[in-house]
Amino acid sequence: MEVAVFETRLNALKAERTRLDNMYVDGYDQDSLDTYNAAVDSFNYKNNKYKADVSSATVKAEAFDRQVDTYNNYLDANCRPQ
């Protein structure tokens, strides 16, 4: 994934977090509590998915970087400029 995609998702999560923080919840109204809890569950799912995707992308980027280093080391050891 591109960095811009992660930034867009992070900004959406921040906006949703702000919305949740400012959400009115009537502690005596079950519907209000259920609505809030559903919104929190949705946020938590998206947040955990985002974290997992970032972690996966980091692992892939690190593996790619190692491949590039291996290739460059091979070139340095076995090739000379022409």
Side-chain angles (χ1 to χ4, degrees):
M1 270 188 192
E2 291 183 37
V3 172
V5 173
F6 285 114
E7 289 176 359
T8 299
R9 288 175 61 190
L10 180 59
N11 289 335
L13 284 168
K14 287 179 180 179
E16 189 169 346
R17 173 69 188 261
T18 299
R19 186 180 67 80
L20 285 172
D21 288 344
N22 294 313
M23 191 175 197
Y24 173 75
V25 181
D26 182 346
Y28 297 101
D29 178 19
Q30 190 62 47
D31 288 336
S32 178
L33 292 169
D34 291 344
T35 299
Y36 178 75
N37 288 335
V40 169
D41 289 344
S42 175
F43 172 81
N44 287 336
Y45 172 80
K46 292 173 192 173
N47 191 45
N48 289 334
K49 178 78 171 113
Y50 173 79
K51 289 177 182 179
D53 290 347
V54 167
S55 179
S56 176
T58 300
V59 168
K60 288 177 184 177
E62 289 170 351
F64 179 77
D65 289 345
R66 285 191 302 275
Q67 288 176 325
V68 169
D69 288 341
T70 299
Y71 180 72
N72 286 337
N73 291 338
Y74 172 83
L75 292 176
D76 288 341
N78 298 295
C79 301
R80 59 184 164 84
Q82 294 185 358

